[in-house]
């Protein structure tokens, strides 16, 4: 699995993240020195404290991308072997099929229960108003 981190794509990403992290370090030192010069201000001091946070975020993003790549590699290998074993299809067919992603919630929420005028008169009136707008919109369409 670690060999996948040595592909040309990942070597370029490693170089990019290393350069970005080093650059944020240099920028932090530059702003720190600038804050202590005669023309420096609190803004330079703020930037000097902000650049290391950007560098930490760069490292966090780097680690997150590596973990996502490993999870994707593990996730694609498991359904391909299980799909071929279940229905007896060949492994080439199982690899070409993508596993279904289940949604944790429906795309369209279920309709709200109707409100009687006795329960909440304002809400019932508002719902009638919205229903009227919907009907007039459907007539014009």
């Amino acid at each position: 699995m670690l060999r996948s981190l040595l592909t040309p794509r990942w070597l370029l990403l490693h170089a990019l993240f290393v350069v970005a992290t080093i650059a944020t370090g240099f920028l932090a030192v530059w702003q720190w020195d600038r804050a202590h010069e005669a023309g420096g201000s609190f803004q330079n001091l703020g930037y000097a404290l902000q650049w290391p946070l950007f560098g930490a975020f760069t490292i966090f993003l780097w680690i997150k991308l590596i973990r996502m790549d490993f999870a994707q590699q593990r996730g694609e290998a498991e359904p391909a072997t299980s799909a071929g074993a279940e229905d007896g299809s060949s492994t080439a067919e199982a690899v070409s099929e993508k596993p279904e992603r289940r949604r944790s919630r429906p795309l369209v929420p279920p309709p709200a229960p109707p409100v009687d005028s006795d329960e909440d008169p304002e809400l019932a009136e508002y719902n009638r108003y919205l229903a009227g707008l919907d009907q007039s919109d459907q007539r014009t369409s």
Side-chain angles (χ1 to χ4, degrees):
M1 223 190 298
L2 293 176
R3 286 186 182 198
S4 67
L5 294 178
L6 298 176
T7 61
R9 173 182 171 261
W10 270 107
L11 289 176
L12 183 63
L13 282 171
H14 293 318
L16 178 71
F17 281 113
V18 167
V19 167
T21 304
I22 291 172
T24 57
F26 279 123
L27 288 168
V29 170
W30 171 63
Q31 287 293 336
W32 183 263
D33 292 340
R34 179 89 174 119
H36 289 91
E37 290 177 357
S41 66
F42 283 112
Q43 184 177 15
N44 297 112
L45 187 61
Y47 286 145
L49 299 174
Q50 191 175 10
W51 280 113
L53 292 175
F54 290 150
F57 179 73
T58 304
I59 293 170
F60 167 77
L61 184 62
W62 188 6
I63 293 169
K64 190 76 169 168
L65 280 175
I66 290 171
R67 286 184 178 176
M68 284 174 51
D69 192 44
F70 284 160
Q72 184 180 17
Q73 287 175 2
R74 275 186 264 126
E76 288 180 356
E78 291 170 4
T81 57
S82 64
E86 287 175 6
D87 56 67
S89 61
S90 68
T91 17
E93 292 172 344
V95 171
S96 65
E97 294 177 11
K98 292 200 176 211
E100 286 187 30
R101 292 185 70 191
R102 294 192 177 223
R103 294 192 177 275
S104 59
R105 58 187 174 144
L107 285 175
V108 179
V115 178
D116 294 333
S117 296
D118 299 335
E119 293 176 32
D120 191 351
E122 283 184 36
L123 185 58
E125 178 61 34
Y126 183 66
N127 285 341
R128 283 193 293 278
Y129 170 72
L130 290 177
L133 285 177
D134 185 45
Q135 287 175 357
S136 68
D137 186 44
Q138 297 216 355
R139 278 183 264 160
T140 59
S141 299

